[in-house]
Amino acid sequence: MKSVASAPAKIILFGEHFVVHGTKAILAAIDKRVTVTSSFTENKTIKINSQLGTLEVPMSSSHEEVKSELRPFVYLANKMINSHQDVNGLEITVNSDIPIGVGLGSSSACCVAATASISGLFNELSRKEIINLSIEAEKTIFPDTSGADCTVCTYGGKIVYPSIEKIGNTFDLNLLIANSMIPHSTKSSVEKVNKFKENDEERFSQLCELENGLIDEVIYAIKANDVPTGFENTDRSLHNRLQEEEKDGREHFLGKKMSENQKYLEEIQVSNDTLRDMISSLSEISLGSKITGAGDGGCIIALIKDENMDKVPELLGKGKECFSVKIDTKGVVWETEK
Ligand code: MEV
């Protein structure tokens, strides 16, 4: 029996770091995926094959003994094997096209896909149960996680966290991801922000309020995309033109809000010279841009009009990677083969 599950990468459109301290965030799942395949073996071990290497530990091993990024897999395997005494061994294989350690949610997508894949061998879980268990697994390597990344990888689409409201599925943003190619540690960046908060509680709480206010405005702007009632059956071309104009105005607004959000991220010191240079090199064509994810390296996102997309590689210069984003609407998917 084989159980296969895959989950998408993610970007944070607004609210990273502040979300760890209770603000809202807006996230989107994107079209890069990790696939996890699980099957029973007779080897009395838990074996994990991945780009990070192969790990094989006795069935009785605790995840705490595993000193590596593969710990969440051992945690999940233990958790599910413990309630099914007749299992002799488990093999888990991870295949990913999500770059690791650059803010695109690789570890959360792995936790979500692994939860769905391993549980598929036993009892299928609901999406809510997958989120809860994958967050528990992620906490074995990153105890402070807000849970936002695992949530969007599970549901797909664009969501508001923590309400898990899906928004803006009726239009696409022309979003570009540019990778600084500097790996970062989310755990260390989050610890750095905790220190900033400890040193200046008052300013940090003002910034959280500003971030929440900004996100409320963005939610309103994204939702305003709904087709106005009464237009559906009248003049299509007028309707389309109005939609176009609205989209244009909304994109400018969202771009402005992204740049405003970046100022807050600069203030809490999760940016660096490379990220600032990337943002400024795109400023002549972007409507707005910001870090996505933990910062201190990793990726930026920029809102760029279609007609300017081909200018991006030259403006960014050598040694950076860039691609345009398509939103994934499926979230985690899984199937079991007998
Ligand atoms: C990392 O993708 C996003 C952070 O806000 C951490 C978290 O929400 O768990 C930095």
PDB file of all heavy atoms in Angstrom, residues 10 12 15-20 27 103-105 108 138 142 144-149 184 186 189-190 292-295, ligand 1:
ATOM      1  N   LYS A  10       4.304  28.577  -0.471  1.00  0.00           N
ATOM      2  CA  LYS A  10       3.473  29.743  -0.139  1.00  0.00           C
ATOM      3  C   LYS A  10       4.280  31.043  -0.229  1.00  0.00           C
ATOM      4  O   LYS A  10       5.520  31.030  -0.175  1.00  0.00           O
ATOM      5  CB  LYS A  10       2.878  29.590   1.263  1.00  0.00           C
ATOM      6  CG  LYS A  10       3.943  29.710   2.390  1.00  0.00           C
ATOM      7  CD  LYS A  10       4.121  31.119   2.866  1.00  0.00           C
ATOM      8  CE  LYS A  10       5.238  31.590   3.673  1.00  0.00           C
ATOM      9  NZ  LYS A  10       6.551  31.309   3.831  1.00  0.00           N
ATOM     10  N   ILE A  12       3.937  35.101   1.606  1.00  0.00           N
ATOM     11  CA  ILE A  12       3.157  35.946   2.504  1.00  0.00           C
ATOM     12  C   ILE A  12       3.020  37.297   1.808  1.00  0.00           C
ATOM     13  O   ILE A  12       4.025  37.943   1.481  1.00  0.00           O
ATOM     14  CB  ILE A  12       3.825  36.066   3.886  1.00  0.00           C
ATOM     15  CG1 ILE A  12       3.956  34.661   4.500  1.00  0.00           C
ATOM     16  CG2 ILE A  12       3.012  36.992   4.784  1.00  0.00           C
ATOM     17  CD1 ILE A  12       4.351  34.615   5.953  1.00  0.00           C
ATOM     18  N   GLY A  15       2.040  40.746   6.367  1.00  0.00           N
ATOM     19  CA  GLY A  15       1.893  40.381   7.780  1.00  0.00           C
ATOM     20  C   GLY A  15       2.899  39.417   8.379  1.00  0.00           C
ATOM     21  O   GLY A  15       2.732  39.013   9.531  1.00  0.00           O
ATOM     22  N   GLU A  16       3.971  39.021   7.619  1.00  0.00           N
ATOM     23  CA  GLU A  16       4.936  38.121   8.247  1.00  0.00           C
ATOM     24  C   GLU A  16       5.540  38.768   9.500  1.00  0.00           C
ATOM     25  O   GLU A  16       5.582  39.993   9.621  1.00  0.00           O
ATOM     26  CB  GLU A  16       6.068  37.678   7.292  1.00  0.00           C
ATOM     27  CG  GLU A  16       6.794  38.748   6.554  1.00  0.00           C
ATOM     28  CD  GLU A  16       6.056  39.133   5.307  1.00  0.00           C
ATOM     29  OE1 GLU A  16       6.242  38.528   4.253  1.00  0.00           O
ATOM     30  OE2 GLU A  16       5.279  40.110   5.411  1.00  0.00           O
ATOM     31  N   HIS A  17       5.996  37.964  10.379  1.00  0.00           N
ATOM     32  CA  HIS A  17       6.545  38.331  11.693  1.00  0.00           C
ATOM     33  C   HIS A  17       5.480  38.887  12.631  1.00  0.00           C
ATOM     34  O   HIS A  17       5.321  38.380  13.735  1.00  0.00           O
ATOM     35  CB  HIS A  17       7.717  39.326  11.573  1.00  0.00           C
ATOM     36  CG  HIS A  17       8.970  38.640  11.118  1.00  0.00           C
ATOM     37  ND1 HIS A  17       9.603  37.694  11.886  1.00  0.00           N
ATOM     38  CD2 HIS A  17       9.673  38.719   9.954  1.00  0.00           C
ATOM     39  CE1 HIS A  17      10.657  37.230  11.230  1.00  0.00           C
ATOM     40  NE2 HIS A  17      10.718  37.827  10.051  1.00  0.00           N
ATOM     41  N   PHE A  18       4.713  39.913  12.173  1.00  0.00           N
ATOM     42  CA  PHE A  18       3.701  40.473  13.073  1.00  0.00           C
ATOM     43  C   PHE A  18       2.655  39.398  13.412  1.00  0.00           C
ATOM     44  O   PHE A  18       2.122  39.378  14.509  1.00  0.00           O
ATOM     45  CB  PHE A  18       3.071  41.712  12.427  1.00  0.00           C
ATOM     46  CG  PHE A  18       4.099  42.792  12.197  1.00  0.00           C
ATOM     47  CD1 PHE A  18       4.619  43.034  10.925  1.00  0.00           C
ATOM     48  CD2 PHE A  18       4.593  43.536  13.261  1.00  0.00           C
ATOM     49  CE1 PHE A  18       5.590  44.002  10.721  1.00  0.00           C
ATOM     50  CE2 PHE A  18       5.577  44.509  13.075  1.00  0.00           C
ATOM     51  CZ  PHE A  18       6.072  44.740  11.796  1.00  0.00           C
ATOM     52  N   VAL A  19       2.428  38.473  12.461  1.00  0.00           N
ATOM     53  CA  VAL A  19       1.428  37.421  12.674  1.00  0.00           C
ATOM     54  C   VAL A  19       1.821  36.512  13.847  1.00  0.00           C
ATOM     55  O   VAL A  19       0.971  35.980  14.557  1.00  0.00           O
ATOM     56  CB  VAL A  19       1.200  36.605  11.362  1.00  0.00           C
ATOM     57  CG1 VAL A  19       2.408  35.785  10.969  1.00  0.00           C
ATOM     58  CG2 VAL A  19      -0.014  35.693  11.474  1.00  0.00           C
ATOM     59  N   VAL A  20       3.134  36.367  14.084  1.00  0.00           N
ATOM     60  CA  VAL A  20       3.597  35.557  15.224  1.00  0.00           C
ATOM     61  C   VAL A  20       3.141  36.213  16.532  1.00  0.00           C
ATOM     62  O   VAL A  20       2.973  35.552  17.552  1.00  0.00           O
ATOM     63  CB  VAL A  20       5.147  35.421  15.193  1.00  0.00           C
ATOM     64  CG1 VAL A  20       5.677  34.684  16.405  1.00  0.00           C
ATOM     65  CG2 VAL A  20       5.608  34.764  13.899  1.00  0.00           C
ATOM     66  N   LEU A  27      -1.938  35.428   3.010  1.00  0.00           N
ATOM     67  CA  LEU A  27      -0.980  34.504   2.384  1.00  0.00           C
ATOM     68  C   LEU A  27      -1.575  33.926   1.101  1.00  0.00           C
ATOM     69  O   LEU A  27      -2.794  33.914   0.927  1.00  0.00           O
ATOM     70  CB  LEU A  27      -0.658  33.328   3.316  1.00  0.00           C
ATOM     71  CG  LEU A  27      -0.031  33.644   4.664  1.00  0.00           C
ATOM     72  CD1 LEU A  27      -1.088  33.713   5.748  1.00  0.00           C
ATOM     73  CD2 LEU A  27       0.995  32.604   5.046  1.00  0.00           C
ATOM     74  N   GLY A 103      12.131  31.273   2.317  1.00  0.00           N
ATOM     75  CA  GLY A 103      10.883  31.969   2.664  1.00  0.00           C
ATOM     76  C   GLY A 103       9.677  31.531   1.866  1.00  0.00           C
ATOM     77  O   GLY A 103       8.628  32.181   1.925  1.00  0.00           O
ATOM     78  N   LEU A 104       9.790  30.422   1.127  1.00  0.00           N
ATOM     79  CA  LEU A 104       8.637  29.989   0.325  1.00  0.00           C
ATOM     80  C   LEU A 104       7.880  28.820   0.986  1.00  0.00           C
ATOM     81  O   LEU A 104       7.077  28.152   0.342  1.00  0.00           O
ATOM     82  CB  LEU A 104       9.078  29.628  -1.102  1.00  0.00           C
ATOM     83  CG  LEU A 104       9.702  30.790  -1.884  1.00  0.00           C
ATOM     84  CD1 LEU A 104      10.085  30.358  -3.292  1.00  0.00           C
ATOM     85  CD2 LEU A 104       8.754  31.998  -1.962  1.00  0.00           C
ATOM     86  N   GLY A 105       8.166  28.587   2.243  1.00  0.00           N
ATOM     87  CA  GLY A 105       7.346  27.636   3.012  1.00  0.00           C
ATOM     88  C   GLY A 105       7.680  26.178   2.775  1.00  0.00           C
ATOM     89  O   GLY A 105       6.822  25.312   2.958  1.00  0.00           O
ATOM     90  N   SER A 108       7.016  23.972   5.889  1.00  0.00           N
ATOM     91  CA  SER A 108       5.578  23.815   6.181  1.00  0.00           C
ATOM     92  C   SER A 108       4.915  22.909   5.157  1.00  0.00           C
ATOM     93  O   SER A 108       4.102  22.037   5.511  1.00  0.00           O
ATOM     94  CB  SER A 108       4.865  25.165   6.156  1.00  0.00           C
ATOM     95  OG  SER A 108       5.493  26.038   7.025  1.00  0.00           O
ATOM     96  N   GLU A 138       5.809  20.800  12.763  1.00  0.00           N
ATOM     97  CA  GLU A 138       6.715  21.918  12.466  1.00  0.00           C
ATOM     98  C   GLU A 138       7.309  22.493  13.760  1.00  0.00           C
ATOM     99  O   GLU A 138       8.450  22.944  13.791  1.00  0.00           O
ATOM    100  CB  GLU A 138       5.990  23.006  11.671  1.00  0.00           C
ATOM    101  CG  GLU A 138       6.959  24.081  11.211  1.00  0.00           C
ATOM    102  CD  GLU A 138       6.451  24.980  10.104  1.00  0.00           C
ATOM    103  OE1 GLU A 138       5.267  25.332  10.143  1.00  0.00           O
ATOM    104  OE2 GLU A 138       7.263  25.328   9.230  1.00  0.00           O
ATOM    105  N   PHE A 142      10.675  24.386  14.878  1.00  0.00           N
ATOM    106  CA  PHE A 142      10.466  25.833  14.949  1.00  0.00           C
ATOM    107  C   PHE A 142       9.286  26.093  15.897  1.00  0.00           C
ATOM    108  O   PHE A 142       8.144  26.248  15.471  1.00  0.00           O
ATOM    109  CB  PHE A 142      10.213  26.339  13.513  1.00  0.00           C
ATOM    110  CG  PHE A 142       9.782  27.766  13.411  1.00  0.00           C
ATOM    111  CD1 PHE A 142      10.238  28.732  14.306  1.00  0.00           C
ATOM    112  CD2 PHE A 142       8.935  28.174  12.397  1.00  0.00           C
ATOM    113  CE1 PHE A 142       9.831  30.042  14.208  1.00  0.00           C
ATOM    114  CE2 PHE A 142       8.520  29.482  12.282  1.00  0.00           C
ATOM    115  CZ  PHE A 142       8.974  30.417  13.199  1.00  0.00           C
ATOM    116  N   ASP A 144       8.134  28.506  17.600  1.00  0.00           N
ATOM    117  CA  ASP A 144       7.351  29.750  17.614  1.00  0.00           C
ATOM    118  C   ASP A 144       6.431  29.927  16.415  1.00  0.00           C
ATOM    119  O   ASP A 144       5.849  31.001  16.243  1.00  0.00           O
ATOM    120  CB  ASP A 144       8.290  30.966  17.650  1.00  0.00           C
ATOM    121  CG  ASP A 144       8.903  31.153  19.010  1.00  0.00           C
ATOM    122  OD1 ASP A 144       8.351  30.602  19.980  1.00  0.00           O
ATOM    123  OD2 ASP A 144       9.939  31.842  19.105  1.00  0.00           O
ATOM    124  N   THR A 145       6.319  28.925  15.551  1.00  0.00           N
ATOM    125  CA  THR A 145       5.541  29.138  14.321  1.00  0.00           C
ATOM    126  C   THR A 145       4.135  29.663  14.608  1.00  0.00           C
ATOM    127  O   THR A 145       3.487  29.211  15.557  1.00  0.00           O
ATOM    128  CB  THR A 145       5.452  27.844  13.467  1.00  0.00           C
ATOM    129  OG1 THR A 145       4.658  28.123  12.309  1.00  0.00           O
ATOM    130  CG2 THR A 145       4.836  26.683  14.216  1.00  0.00           C
ATOM    131  N   SER A 146       3.678  30.589  13.765  1.00  0.00           N
ATOM    132  CA  SER A 146       2.320  31.123  13.934  1.00  0.00           C
ATOM    133  C   SER A 146       1.282  30.130  13.427  1.00  0.00           C
ATOM    134  O   SER A 146       0.094  30.256  13.719  1.00  0.00           O
ATOM    135  CB  SER A 146       2.166  32.423  13.144  1.00  0.00           C
ATOM    136  OG  SER A 146       2.284  32.163  11.758  1.00  0.00           O
ATOM    137  N   GLY A 147       1.725  29.186  12.590  1.00  0.00           N
ATOM    138  CA  GLY A 147       0.778  28.235  11.990  1.00  0.00           C
ATOM    139  C   GLY A 147       0.209  28.726  10.665  1.00  0.00           C
ATOM    140  O   GLY A 147      -0.511  27.995   9.970  1.00  0.00           O
ATOM    141  N   ALA A 148       0.544  29.959  10.293  1.00  0.00           N
ATOM    142  CA  ALA A 148      -0.046  30.530   9.065  1.00  0.00           C
ATOM    143  C   ALA A 148       0.423  29.768   7.818  1.00  0.00           C
ATOM    144  O   ALA A 148      -0.374  29.493   6.915  1.00  0.00           O
ATOM    145  CB  ALA A 148       0.342  31.998   8.952  1.00  0.00           C
ATOM    146  N   ASP A 149       1.710  29.406   7.780  1.00  0.00           N
ATOM    147  CA  ASP A 149       2.245  28.746   6.575  1.00  0.00           C
ATOM    148  C   ASP A 149       1.587  27.375   6.346  1.00  0.00           C
ATOM    149  O   ASP A 149       1.146  27.066   5.240  1.00  0.00           O
ATOM    150  CB  ASP A 149       3.774  28.566   6.700  1.00  0.00           C
ATOM    151  CG  ASP A 149       4.533  29.893   6.632  1.00  0.00           C
ATOM    152  OD1 ASP A 149       3.865  30.948   6.661  1.00  0.00           O
ATOM    153  OD2 ASP A 149       5.765  29.877   6.549  1.00  0.00           O
ATOM    154  N   HIS A 184      18.277  31.598   4.737  1.00  0.00           N
ATOM    155  CA  HIS A 184      18.078  32.204   6.056  1.00  0.00           C
ATOM    156  C   HIS A 184      17.472  31.177   7.001  1.00  0.00           C
ATOM    157  O   HIS A 184      17.054  30.109   6.582  1.00  0.00           O
ATOM    158  CB  HIS A 184      17.172  33.433   5.945  1.00  0.00           C
ATOM    159  CG  HIS A 184      15.776  33.099   5.502  1.00  0.00           C
ATOM    160  ND1 HIS A 184      14.826  34.041   5.236  1.00  0.00           N
ATOM    161  CD2 HIS A 184      15.175  31.902   5.277  1.00  0.00           C
ATOM    162  CE1 HIS A 184      13.705  33.434   4.873  1.00  0.00           C
ATOM    163  NE2 HIS A 184      13.894  32.152   4.888  1.00  0.00           N
ATOM    164  N   THR A 186      14.405  30.872   9.560  1.00  0.00           N
ATOM    165  CA  THR A 186      13.180  31.532  10.044  1.00  0.00           C
ATOM    166  C   THR A 186      13.229  31.663  11.565  1.00  0.00           C
ATOM    167  O   THR A 186      12.882  32.694  12.134  1.00  0.00           O
ATOM    168  CB  THR A 186      11.945  30.706   9.624  1.00  0.00           C
ATOM    169  OG1 THR A 186      11.970  30.589   8.207  1.00  0.00           O
ATOM    170  CG2 THR A 186      10.646  31.360  10.039  1.00  0.00           C
ATOM    171  N   SER A 189      15.394  34.596  12.603  1.00  0.00           N
ATOM    172  CA  SER A 189      14.760  35.894  12.312  1.00  0.00           C
ATOM    173  C   SER A 189      13.637  36.170  13.308  1.00  0.00           C
ATOM    174  O   SER A 189      13.469  37.305  13.759  1.00  0.00           O
ATOM    175  CB  SER A 189      14.153  35.925  10.909  1.00  0.00           C
ATOM    176  OG  SER A 189      15.119  35.631   9.975  1.00  0.00           O
ATOM    177  N   VAL A 190      12.880  35.120  13.632  1.00  0.00           N
ATOM    178  CA  VAL A 190      11.778  35.313  14.579  1.00  0.00           C
ATOM    179  C   VAL A 190      12.336  35.671  15.965  1.00  0.00           C
ATOM    180  O   VAL A 190      11.798  36.531  16.669  1.00  0.00           O
ATOM    181  CB  VAL A 190      10.862  34.059  14.608  1.00  0.00           C
ATOM    182  CG1 VAL A 190       9.905  34.075  15.787  1.00  0.00           C
ATOM    183  CG2 VAL A 190      10.080  33.967  13.307  1.00  0.00           C
ATOM    184  N   THR A 292       9.151  38.567   1.423  1.00  0.00           N
ATOM    185  CA  THR A 292       8.076  37.616   1.717  1.00  0.00           C
ATOM    186  C   THR A 292       8.653  36.513   2.601  1.00  0.00           C
ATOM    187  O   THR A 292       9.702  35.955   2.288  1.00  0.00           O
ATOM    188  CB  THR A 292       7.426  37.043   0.443  1.00  0.00           C
ATOM    189  OG1 THR A 292       6.311  36.247   0.826  1.00  0.00           O
ATOM    190  CG2 THR A 292       8.364  36.230  -0.422  1.00  0.00           C
ATOM    191  N   GLY A 293       8.017  36.256   3.748  1.00  0.00           N
ATOM    192  CA  GLY A 293       8.564  35.247   4.668  1.00  0.00           C
ATOM    193  C   GLY A 293       9.451  35.916   5.702  1.00  0.00           C
ATOM    194  O   GLY A 293       9.296  37.103   6.009  1.00  0.00           O
ATOM    195  N   ALA A 294      10.411  35.163   6.208  1.00  0.00           N
ATOM    196  CA  ALA A 294      11.167  35.623   7.386  1.00  0.00           C
ATOM    197  C   ALA A 294      12.140  36.763   7.113  1.00  0.00           C
ATOM    198  O   ALA A 294      12.511  37.505   8.010  1.00  0.00           O
ATOM    199  CB  ALA A 294      11.911  34.448   8.000  1.00  0.00           C
ATOM    200  N   GLY A 295      12.611  36.931   5.864  1.00  0.00           N
ATOM    201  CA  GLY A 295      13.585  37.995   5.579  1.00  0.00           C
ATOM    202  C   GLY A 295      14.994  37.576   5.940  1.00  0.00           C
ATOM    203  O   GLY A 295      15.278  36.384   6.041  1.00  0.00           O
TER     204      GLY A 295
HETATM  205  C1  MEV B   1       7.627  32.640   7.891  1.00  0.00           C
HETATM  206  O1  MEV B   1       7.212  32.203   6.613  1.00  0.00           O
HETATM  207  C2  MEV B   1       6.636  33.623   8.440  1.00  0.00           C
HETATM  208  C3  MEV B   1       6.921  34.158   9.821  1.00  0.00           C
HETATM  209  O2  MEV B   1       5.879  35.108  10.106  1.00  0.00           O
HETATM  210  C4  MEV B   1       6.910  33.062  10.869  1.00  0.00           C
HETATM  211  C5  MEV B   1       5.523  32.472  11.136  1.00  0.00           C
HETATM  212  O3  MEV B   1       4.498  33.074  10.825  1.00  0.00           O
HETATM  213  O4  MEV B   1       5.509  31.341  11.682  1.00  0.00           O
HETATM  214  C6  MEV B   1       8.242  34.896   9.884  1.00  0.00           C
END
